[in-house]
Amino acid sequence: MTFSVYWIAQKIRFYSVFVVALASFAVHARADVASWLVMDADTGRVLEQNAAFDRWYPASLTKMMTAYIAFHYTSKGEMGMNDMVVVSQNALNQPPSKMGFKVGTAITLDNALKMVLVKSANDIAVAIAERVGGTEENFIEIMNEAARRLGMAHTTFVNPHGLPDNRQITSARDMGLLARALWNEFPQYRAFMSHPGIRFGRRTFKSGNRDFLLRTVGANGMKTGYICNSGFNVATSATRNGRTIIAIVMGAGSSLERAAFAKKLIDSGFSTNSGTHISSLRGRGSSTPPADGYCKRNKRPTAQQLVDRFGSNRGSVSLMAYADSASSSPKGRSIRLSKKKVNWGLVYEEILGSQLKSYAPVTVRVGRERPVVAIRNLGNAVPLPSPKPGTQSYTERQSTGGIPQPDLNVPVGRGASLQPINSKSKQSLFGSPGGLYANTSILDKRQ
């Protein structure tokens, strides 16, 4: 009798431990692509979605709103793409990814937006915010006002770049609203989101969306994002036969998984027309974003796992099957060159397809695009740009549309007194670790 009671107690204890372990595994198991949405940019119909109302961290998708506001002001004639954005101390203080220019460095809004949307430069995002809003805090208020106007009911912005802050949340549905607004309201500025990389001096920096842009038929935008708490996010688009499809992916385990799944969403979107308009889409979703450390729970898939899941041997399966790594899939082609080497060319061919376009980074620079004297030589038909920063005529220049021009003799935001610099070397241009020519190594913060 005693033995039987002891035996039963041991069994109960074993199964209790097993159930707890199983529950723990479920909590810490790979979460895969957490949330996604694919929609028709023209009709606004959501063609397919999963957990689109779940709250999520936007990471650098935030910069789409920063660009949206800048585009709004320029399209209304209240700013110009040749207006100067000046780096403040507050901007320079931002962590990487960044350009790292010294305080006082002046950049055209055109170049600043390319640095933000392609390189995902956090410091330049703050510089734009201070230029448009007067202070970063004022700009954040403008961001939230714009979000409410667009119907982004689940979104709160607390910074203009997307660096970690658990108060800054959104959803795939809200990012779909923003992406569609960017595409439809500002067709003249679509090219800003389509560059696969930037070139600054002798260095080039690829967009986090480069491989999607170069390997997807009709690809034309938009923005990627990553922080540990969000995983790998993307808002992207493609146009075929006059029709544009937008895809939003939140919480992928790697940049390659993000690109592969976004491509599947885009391809599937062109094969259907039915769906509910995004403004009428209803759902509740999780009201709390993922717990801290999401990237540690959602482990990065191996190259072979991605080829098994997205490669040519997979055939035609549902989008949910692509999103779920536990879904059964045939063994894909071996991507090993040797025991230790991966054939990355084959990996990209298998899951993203052949490269359709050559990699052509757009050139960016500091200062004005062309000297005033060169423009004067073109004749009276070409309007002269604004006076050179630092001159009396510049500081006395009146703003248009109620947006003040920066006074180079007073602080902007929390920045120091802004004085333009004339850099003669790369060493004198960059101001802190984490910039383009930093001596200290910086962890790869892929966006």
Side-chain angles (χ1 to χ4, degrees):
M1 181 69 176
T2 303
F3 173 79
S4 298
V5 172
Y6 175 79
W7 183 84
I8 292 172
Q10 289 291 94
K11 287 293 183 181
I12 292 174
R13 182 180 300 174
F14 170 80
Y15 284 114
S16 298
V17 171
F18 176 78
V19 169
V20 170
L22 189 61
S24 176
F25 175 80
V27 170
H28 296 287
R30 191 164 185 282
D32 300 306
V33 178
S35 174
W36 44 270
L37 173 148
V38 58
M39 65 183 297
D40 189 306
D42 303 309
T43 66
R45 292 184 180 276
V46 175
L47 308 173
E48 196 158 357
Q49 61 88 17
N50 178 65
F53 289 88
D54 282 3
R55 309 311 189 265
W56 209 258
Y57 298 117
S60 281
L61 298 194
T62 299
K63 295 181 176 86
M64 293 198 301
M65 179 58 84
T66 300
Y68 177 86
I69 293 168
F71 292 156
H72 172 78
Y73 279 81
T74 54
S75 68
K76 297 295 182 183
E78 296 174 352
M79 288 182 68
M81 285 296 175
N82 284 326
D83 284 2
M84 303 307 290
V85 172
V86 185
V87 175
S88 69
Q89 188 63 53
N90 180 38
L92 181 61
N93 289 345
Q94 303 306 310
S97 174
K98 64 193 292 183
M99 302 301 288
F101 299 140
K102 280 187 174 180
V103 172
T105 305
I107 315 161
T108 64
L109 179 61
D110 179 282
N111 280 314
L113 283 166
K114 290 169 183 172
M115 293 172 188
V116 165
L117 291 170
V118 181
K119 171 102 175 35
S120 207
N122 297 318
D123 51 351
I124 308 304
V126 170
I128 292 174
E130 292 175 338
R131 172 63 183 82
V132 175
T135 67
E136 183 181 4
E137 290 78 9
N138 288 347
F139 186 81
I140 292 165
E141 290 184 14
I142 297 172
M143 294 174 76
N144 285 304
E145 289 172 4
R148 287 190 290 272
R149 181 177 63 81
L150 292 173
M152 299 170 66
H154 309 133
T155 298
T156 300
F157 292 113
V158 298
N159 64 52
H161 39 59
L163 283 167
D165 189 314
N166 285 5
R167 298 171 297 165
Q168 184 142 305
I169 57 173
T170 189
S171 66
R173 179 258 185 190
D174 282 9
M175 284 292 116
L177 284 168
L178 177 56
R180 182 171 184 250
L182 271 170
W183 179 260
N184 288 330
E185 292 184 30
F186 309 115
Q188 69 273 38
Y189 301 134
R190 289 171 182 170
F192 280 95
M193 296 171 284
S194 68
H195 299 297
I198 61 172
R199 181 184 302 279
F200 184 85
R202 295 182 178 180
R203 300 192 68 182
T204 61
F205 304 89
K206 70 175 184 177
S207 162
N209 210 24
R210 182 189 69 169
D211 295 303
F212 177 90
L213 290 170
L214 298 183
R215 294 174 182 270
T216 302
V217 176
N220 45 32
M222 293 183 176
K223 185 72 186 76
T224 59
Y226 171 81
I227 58 174
C228 180
N229 282 356
S230 73
F232 290 82
N233 302 340
V234 69
T236 197
S237 62
T239 301
R240 299 173 192 170
N241 299 319
R243 185 183 183 206
T244 298
I245 300 296
I246 292 172
I248 310 294
V249 175
M250 312 291 269
S254 72
S255 58
L256 198 48
E257 180 182 46
R258 172 179 66 189
F261 189 59
K263 187 175 187 298
K264 293 297 181 186
L265 287 175
I266 292 290
D267 290 343
S268 71
F270 284 108
S271 64
T272 184
N273 291 289
S274 61
T276 302
H277 194 280
I278 190 168
S279 62
S280 303
L281 193 66
R282 295 291 179 265
R284 299 186 65 178
S286 171
S287 60
T288 57
D292 289 352
Y294 174 81
C295 68
K296 298 175 183 177
R297 298 188 301 276
N298 194 35
K299 298 298 184 182
R300 182 188 303 270
T302 67
Q304 189 62 60
Q305 287 172 334
L306 289 172
V307 170
D308 294 347
R309 193 155 130 225
F310 294 99
S312 57
N313 286 358
R314 188 66 190 268
S316 179
V317 296
S318 70
L319 285 174
M320 190 62 73
Y322 284 117
D324 180 9
S325 65
S327 175
S328 60
S329 58
K331 187 71 174 174
R333 296 175 62 184
S334 173
I335 46 81
R336 289 286 174 187
L337 287 173
S338 66
K339 197 169 184 179
K340 294 184 178 181
K341 291 185 178 181
V342 171
N343 185 345
W344 286 107
L346 179 58
V347 172
Y348 281 85
E349 288 274 347
E350 278 287 296
I351 67 177
L352 291 176
S354 301
Q355 186 166 320
L356 306 174
K357 294 182 286 188
S358 60
Y359 177 49
V362 63
T363 298
V364 296
R365 54 180 62 86
V366 299
R368 297 200 175 277
E369 283 294 320
R370 289 180 290 180
V372 173
V373 65
I375 298 178
R376 281 181 178 150
N377 290 338
L378 295 176
N380 295 329
V382 180
L384 292 177
S386 306
K388 183 178 179 181
T391 63
Q392 183 178 0
S393 60
Y394 180 88
T395 56
E396 293 176 351
R397 175 183 169 190
Q398 296 297 314
S399 64
T400 59
I403 297 181
Q405 298 291 331
D407 182 346
L408 298 184
N409 296 315
V410 298
V412 173
R414 297 191 216 95
S417 180
L418 304 181
Q419 297 296 332
I421 62 171
N422 294 313
S423 173
K424 294 183 180 180
S425 70
K426 66 185 182 184
Q427 287 80 10
S428 63
L429 179 60
F430 297 96
S432 73
L436 298 186
Y437 294 94
N439 294 323
T440 56
S441 62
I442 299 295
L443 292 176
D444 181 20
K445 302 291 184 183
R446 283 173 293 180
Q447 296 290 314

